[in-house]
Amino acid sequence: MTVALAANAPTLFDIKSAQLPLVALRVKTDRLDQVADELAAQYADVPDFFDNDALLIDFSQLDTGHSTDPTPMAFEALLQAARSLRLRPVAVRGGGTVHAQLAEQAGLVVTDEVLPAKTTAITPTPSPSVAAAPAPTPVEPPAVAPSALVIDKPLRSGQQVYARGRDLVVLAMVNPGAEVIADGHIHVYAPLRGKAIAGARGNTEARIFALAMEPELVSIAGIYRTSEVPWPDEVLGKPTQVRLFSGPDGDKLVMDAIKP
């Protein structure tokens, strides 16, 4: 016997599942005060790198059996360092009991997993006597990628350009002491003599291209190399691409000459 129960639906609001894009800070040491100092130092010269992004602090890589529990002062220092960079800590994942307690005291959500919401489609079974017509496959319009940021003037020492969420194209020289940063690829159609940081938010597929590769530093997804180690003669001052290679020995930067 089926019983139908009367129900009332709210008319002024709805409760729905939602997905929130998060920036994840993966903590690799139990010295949270040192993490706070390094975080602040890393982005001190890029004040607009974050834009009130929601932050997940991830302690899942810590060995809680051999690590030291954080103090409230160290945990608060980490939160303050994040907020000073326009990050908004909202959740904590992993860690031990003390990490969870400090997170709850700070008003953060404690979660084991942050996963995208899943939708399950229920298809009715057709009657055996009636052939069901195939349901049309919905076609989603292709996402429009943001256009690249194009810079057509030389960048002098002390100047910095950041292409948030897109590629960066520079049509003039990047002089020593200048910095070009992008969440995607970096293309320099001129000599690259300053610093180039591609995949700034962890995009390991990002690459750096230059017509004359002579940089002070190149970095992709946090893996970097400086000119303190001389660049190979095969690429120095020549058209070159830099990419990230992941192998059994870890991540490393690979430089390939671009042949006409």
Side-chain angles (χ1 to χ4, degrees):
M1 179 179 178
T2 302
V3 178
L5 299 177
N8 295 321
T11 58
L12 300 181
F13 66 89
D14 288 315
I15 299 295
K16 302 290 184 181
S17 297
Q19 298 182 37
L20 179 66
L22 296 173
V23 174
L25 173 65
R26 294 191 300 173
V27 178
K28 301 178 181 179
T29 175
D30 54 11
R31 295 299 306 273
L32 299 190
D33 51 343
Q34 294 181 359
V35 176
D37 292 342
E38 186 169 325
L39 181 65
Q42 178 73 23
Y43 296 100
D45 295 333
V46 197
D48 296 328
F49 189 82
F50 301 106
D51 186 14
N52 294 313
D53 299 302
L55 176 68
L56 166 69
I57 303 176
D58 188 353
F59 295 112
S60 59
Q61 292 190 348
L62 291 180
D63 183 357
T64 54
H66 297 85
S67 61
T68 304
D69 289 334
T71 65
M73 184 177 297
F75 190 81
E76 180 61 27
L78 180 59
L79 297 182
Q80 291 298 333
R83 289 167 180 150
S84 68
L85 297 171
R86 297 204 303 169
L87 285 166
R88 297 292 178 262
V90 296
V92 166
R93 175 170 62 186
T97 303
V98 174
H99 295 83
Q101 291 174 345
L102 292 174
E104 291 177 345
Q105 292 172 6
L108 307 185
V109 175
V110 178
T111 178
D112 292 329
E113 295 293 339
V114 177
L115 299 174
K118 296 182 178 180
T119 302
T120 303
I122 302 176
T123 304
T125 304
S127 170
S129 60
V130 179
T137 302
V139 178
E140 295 185 0
V144 178
S147 60
L149 174 62
V150 179
I151 303 297
D152 56 6
K153 297 181 180 179
L155 295 176
R156 300 185 302 274
S157 177
Q159 289 186 306
Q160 181 186 86
V161 175
Y162 172 38
R164 178 188 297 276
R166 52 181 172 167
D167 296 347
L168 175 61
V169 176
V170 184
L171 303 178
M173 182 185 299
V174 180
N175 283 287
E179 288 187 11
V180 287
I181 306 171
D183 290 342
H185 305 298
I186 293 177
H187 304 257
V188 181
Y189 295 103
L192 170 58
R193 295 173 180 165
K195 298 178 181 179
I197 302 170
R201 294 203 179 196
N203 180 5
T204 57
E205 300 299 321
R207 299 190 182 194
I208 300 171
F209 305 88
L211 286 186
M213 186 68 71
E214 307 170 25
E216 297 173 315
L217 174 146
V218 290
S219 173
I220 298 177
I223 306 300
Y224 67 92
R225 175 174 171 171
T226 69
S227 57
E228 293 177 358
V229 178
W231 306 111
D233 293 337
E234 294 81 3
V235 300
L236 181 63
K238 300 175 182 178
T240 304
Q241 71 159 325
V242 184
R243 56 189 173 89
L244 188 63
F245 175 79
S246 298
D249 298 328
D251 296 334
K252 62 180 180 180
L253 296 179
V254 176
M255 307 183 79
D256 300 312
I258 300 175
K259 299 180 180 180

